[in-house]
Amino acid sequence: MSARRLFFGIGLPEPLQQQLVRWRAEQFPEEAGRPVAAANLHITLAFLGEISDEKAQGLQQLAGRIRQPSFTLHLDDAGHWPRPGVIWLGCRQAPRGLLQLAEMLRAQAARSGCYQSPQPFHPHLTLLRNATRPVALPPRNFHWQFTVGHFSLYQSVFAQGRTRYRALQSWPLQE
Ligand code: 2AM
Protein backbone atom coordinates (compact mmCIF):
# COMPACT_ATOMS: atom_id res chain seq x y z
CA MET A 1 0.00 0.00 0.00
CA SER A 2 1.25 3.49 -0.74
CA ALA A 3 2.22 5.83 2.07
CA ARG A 4 2.36 9.60 2.00
CA ARG A 5 4.05 12.10 4.29
CA LEU A 6 1.19 14.12 5.74
CA PHE A 7 0.45 16.78 8.33
CA PHE A 8 -2.43 18.99 9.42
CA GLY A 9 -1.62 22.66 9.27
CA ILE A 10 -2.64 26.24 8.70
CA GLY A 11 -1.69 28.05 5.51
CA LEU A 12 -1.13 31.79 5.15
CA PRO A 13 -3.00 34.30 2.99
CA GLU A 14 -0.90 34.98 -0.10
CA PRO A 15 -0.33 38.71 0.55
CA LEU A 16 1.04 37.81 3.98
CA GLN A 17 3.35 35.20 2.45
CA GLN A 18 4.77 37.94 0.23
CA GLN A 19 5.13 40.41 3.10
CA LEU A 20 6.95 37.87 5.23
CA VAL A 21 9.32 36.92 2.45
CA ARG A 22 10.23 40.58 1.86
CA TRP A 23 10.72 41.20 5.58
CA ARG A 24 12.85 38.05 5.90
CA ALA A 25 15.13 39.21 3.07
CA GLU A 26 15.64 42.54 4.86
CA GLN A 27 16.22 41.03 8.28
CA PHE A 28 18.40 37.97 7.71
CA PRO A 29 21.72 37.67 5.90
CA GLU A 30 21.97 34.95 3.26
CA GLU A 31 24.17 32.77 5.43
CA ALA A 32 21.54 32.66 8.21
CA GLY A 33 19.83 29.66 6.64
CA ARG A 34 17.82 28.31 3.73
CA PRO A 35 14.64 30.33 3.20
CA VAL A 36 11.37 28.40 3.07
CA ALA A 37 9.53 29.13 -0.20
CA ALA A 38 6.67 31.64 0.16
CA ALA A 39 4.02 29.11 -0.81
CA ASN A 40 5.37 26.65 1.77
CA LEU A 41 5.03 28.97 4.77
CA HIS A 42 2.61 27.31 7.21
CA ILE A 43 1.98 26.40 10.82
CA THR A 44 1.91 22.69 11.60
CA LEU A 45 -0.93 21.57 13.86
CA ALA A 46 -0.20 17.83 13.92
CA PHE A 47 2.54 15.96 12.12
CA LEU A 48 1.41 12.53 10.94
CA GLY A 49 4.53 11.17 9.22
CA GLU A 50 4.45 8.59 6.43
CA ILE A 51 1.04 7.00 6.72
CA SER A 52 -1.13 4.67 4.67
CA ASP A 53 -4.07 5.96 2.65
CA GLU A 54 -6.35 3.98 4.92
CA LYS A 55 -5.07 5.66 8.06
CA ALA A 56 -5.24 9.04 6.32
CA GLN A 57 -8.87 8.47 5.38
CA GLY A 58 -9.75 7.69 8.99
CA LEU A 59 -8.06 10.87 10.16
CA GLN A 60 -9.78 12.91 7.44
CA GLN A 61 -13.15 11.64 8.67
CA LEU A 62 -12.33 12.58 12.24
CA ALA A 63 -11.09 16.02 11.15
CA GLY A 64 -14.43 16.58 9.43
CA ARG A 65 -16.23 16.18 12.75
CA ILE A 66 -14.25 18.88 14.53
CA ARG A 67 -16.31 21.93 15.51
CA GLN A 68 -14.03 24.72 16.60
CA PRO A 69 -14.34 28.51 16.37
CA SER A 70 -12.18 30.51 13.98
CA PHE A 71 -9.54 32.69 15.63
CA THR A 72 -7.08 35.48 14.96
CA LEU A 73 -3.45 34.60 14.87
CA HIS A 74 -0.93 37.26 15.86
CA LEU A 75 2.60 36.74 14.57
CA ASP A 76 4.56 38.83 17.06
CA ASP A 77 7.35 36.54 18.22
CA ALA A 78 10.46 35.02 16.65
CA GLY A 79 13.03 32.54 17.75
CA HIS A 80 15.94 30.32 16.78
CA TRP A 81 16.23 26.61 17.52
CA PRO A 82 19.84 25.84 16.62
CA ARG A 83 19.54 22.06 16.98
CA PRO A 84 16.92 21.45 14.29
CA GLY A 85 18.31 24.60 12.61
CA VAL A 86 15.02 26.46 12.49
CA ILE A 87 14.33 30.20 12.62
CA TRP A 88 10.66 30.72 13.25
CA LEU A 89 7.83 33.18 13.74
CA GLY A 90 5.16 32.55 16.33
CA CYS A 91 2.87 34.18 18.86
CA ARG A 92 3.80 35.54 22.27
CA GLN A 93 0.47 34.20 23.45
CA ALA A 94 -1.04 31.42 21.37
CA PRO A 95 -4.82 31.77 20.93
CA ARG A 96 -6.86 29.21 22.81
CA GLY A 97 -8.62 28.17 19.57
CA LEU A 98 -5.29 27.28 17.99
CA LEU A 99 -4.17 25.22 20.98
CA GLN A 100 -7.51 23.39 21.18
CA LEU A 101 -7.51 22.58 17.49
CA ALA A 102 -3.94 21.27 17.59
CA GLU A 103 -4.66 19.30 20.74
CA MET A 104 -7.64 17.59 19.12
CA LEU A 105 -5.77 16.73 15.93
CA ARG A 106 -2.74 15.50 17.82
CA ALA A 107 -4.88 13.32 20.09
CA GLN A 108 -6.67 11.81 17.09
CA ALA A 109 -3.32 11.23 15.38
CA ALA A 110 -1.87 9.57 18.48
CA ARG A 111 -4.91 7.30 18.85
CA SER A 112 -4.47 6.29 15.20
CA GLY A 113 -0.89 5.29 15.90
CA CYS A 114 0.95 8.36 14.57
CA TYR A 115 3.87 9.12 16.84
CA GLN A 116 3.48 12.52 18.51
CA SER A 117 6.48 14.27 19.97
CA PRO A 118 6.34 14.42 23.80
CA GLN A 119 7.67 17.98 23.62
CA PRO A 120 5.06 20.66 24.33
CA PHE A 121 3.37 21.96 21.21
CA HIS A 122 4.90 25.28 20.22
CA PRO A 123 2.97 26.70 17.27
CA HIS A 124 5.42 28.20 14.79
CA LEU A 125 6.00 29.06 11.20
CA THR A 126 9.43 28.03 9.95
CA LEU A 127 11.06 30.89 8.06
CA LEU A 128 14.56 29.47 7.54
CA ARG A 129 15.99 25.97 7.71
CA ASN A 130 19.60 24.75 8.13
CA ALA A 131 20.07 27.64 10.55
CA THR A 132 22.50 25.95 12.89
CA ARG A 133 24.89 28.85 13.48
CA PRO A 134 24.27 31.68 15.96
CA VAL A 135 22.21 34.45 14.42
CA ALA A 136 20.99 37.86 15.55
CA LEU A 137 17.21 37.87 15.66
CA PRO A 138 15.39 40.99 14.48
CA PRO A 139 13.99 43.33 17.15
CA ARG A 140 10.50 42.23 18.13
CA ASN A 141 8.80 45.29 16.67
CA PHE A 142 6.84 43.35 14.07
CA HIS A 143 3.25 42.23 14.24
CA TRP A 144 1.19 40.57 11.55
CA GLN A 145 -2.21 39.10 12.09
CA PHE A 146 -4.72 37.09 10.13
CA THR A 147 -7.97 35.28 10.71
CA VAL A 148 -7.76 31.51 10.60
CA GLY A 149 -11.03 30.29 9.10
CA HIS A 150 -9.96 26.80 8.08
CA PHE A 151 -7.28 24.18 8.52
CA SER A 152 -5.95 21.69 5.99
CA LEU A 153 -4.34 18.34 5.47
CA TYR A 154 -1.07 18.73 3.57
CA GLN A 155 1.10 16.28 1.71
CA SER A 156 4.81 16.92 1.69
CA VAL A 157 5.99 16.17 -1.85
CA PHE A 158 9.69 15.98 -2.65
CA ALA A 159 10.47 16.27 -6.36
CA GLN A 160 13.31 17.74 -8.42
CA GLY A 161 15.26 18.59 -5.30
CA ARG A 162 12.44 20.63 -3.76
CA THR A 163 9.83 20.06 -1.10
CA ARG A 164 6.35 21.33 -1.77
CA TYR A 165 3.34 21.18 0.53
CA ARG A 166 0.16 20.33 -1.32
CA ALA A 167 -3.19 20.94 0.42
CA LEU A 168 -5.27 17.77 0.00
CA GLN A 169 -8.38 18.83 1.91
CA SER A 170 -9.54 21.75 4.04
CA TRP A 171 -12.13 22.06 6.79
CA PRO A 172 -13.81 25.29 7.92
CA LEU A 173 -13.74 26.62 11.46
CA GLN A 174 -16.95 28.13 12.80
CA GLU A 175 -17.71 31.84 12.29
P1 2AM B 1 9.24 22.40 11.31
O1 2AM B 1 8.76 23.49 10.40
O2 2AM B 1 9.45 22.85 12.70
O3 2AM B 1 10.42 21.65 10.75
C1 2AM B 1 6.32 19.45 7.37
O4 2AM B 1 7.51 18.76 7.43
C2 2AM B 1 5.98 20.11 8.67
O5 2AM B 1 5.91 19.13 9.70
C3 2AM B 1 7.00 21.13 9.13
O6 2AM B 1 6.30 22.27 9.58
C4 2AM B 1 7.74 20.49 10.28
O7 2AM B 1 8.02 21.33 11.35
C5 2AM B 1 6.76 19.47 10.76
N1 2AM B 1 7.46 18.29 11.20
C6 2AM B 1 8.33 17.56 10.49
N2 2AM B 1 8.77 16.51 11.21
C7 2AM B 1 8.15 16.59 12.40
C8 2AM B 1 8.16 15.81 13.58
N3 2AM B 1 8.89 14.70 13.66
N4 2AM B 1 7.40 16.21 14.62
C9 2AM B 1 6.65 17.33 14.54
N5 2AM B 1 6.59 18.10 13.45
C10 2AM B 1 7.32 17.74 12.40
Side-chain angles (χ1 to χ4, degrees), residues 5-7 42-44 46-47 81 84 86 106 115-117 124-126 129 156 163 165:
R5 186 179 170 88
L6 303 178
F7 63 94
H42 71 278
I43 293 173
T44 298
F47 182 70
W81 294 329
V86 161
R106 287 159 63 89
Y115 172 80
Q116 296 299 294
S117 158
H124 66 280
L125 179 165
T126 297
R129 296 195 183 280
S156 174
T163 299
Y165 303 132

Side-chain angles (χ1 to χ4, degrees), residues 2-175:
S2 64
R4 292 177 294 176
R5 186 179 170 88
L6 303 178
F7 63 94
F8 287 105
I10 294 169
L12 267 59
E14 216 204 297
L16 181 56
Q17 292 175 351
Q18 298 307 328
Q19 277 180 41
L20 293 183
V21 164
R22 278 197 297 273
W23 177 82
R24 178 178 63 190
E26 288 163 9
Q27 300 293 332
F28 294 96
E30 243 175 64
E31 63 275 16
R34 181 165 53 81
V36 172
N40 277 355
L41 294 172
H42 71 278
I43 293 173
T44 298
L45 293 165
F47 182 70
L48 306 176
E50 300 264 341
I51 62 168
S52 68
D53 290 346
E54 196 184 349
K55 203 179 265 190
Q57 274 168 20
L59 286 166
Q60 281 166 278
Q61 266 179 16
L62 291 172
R65 290 192 209 135
I66 290 178
R67 296 287 173 268
Q68 277 281 306
S70 57
F71 51 86
T72 301
L73 198 63
H74 296 266
L75 295 174
D76 55 3
D77 196 12
H80 180 207
W81 294 329
R83 272 255 273 179
V86 161
I87 293 174
W88 52 267
L89 283 179
C91 350
R92 293 186 206 190
Q93 185 157 24
R96 185 191 290 261
L98 169 64
L99 297 178
Q100 282 174 349
L101 178 60
E103 176 57 38
M104 242 177 253
L105 291 166
R106 287 159 63 89
Q108 291 174 347
R111 279 200 296 273
S112 302
C114 302
Y115 172 80
Q116 296 299 294
S117 158
Q119 287 191 359
F121 174 64
H122 187 287
H124 66 280
L125 179 165
T126 297
L127 275 181
L128 296 144
R129 296 195 183 280
N130 300 352
T132 47
R133 282 183 287 172
V135 63
L137 288 173
R140 286 201 300 177
N141 56 6
F142 51 85
H143 186 179
W144 298 275
Q145 66 181 68
F146 65 104
T147 304
V148 179
H150 66 274
F151 65 99
S152 306
L153 178 68
Y154 290 92
Q155 178 181 4
S156 174
V157 182
F158 185 74
Q160 288 157 351
R162 282 163 198 253
T163 299
R164 189 168 62 85
Y165 303 132
R166 190 160 79 89
L168 300 179
Q169 191 176 354
S170 297
W171 295 269
L173 298 168
Q174 319 299 303
E175 296 281 314

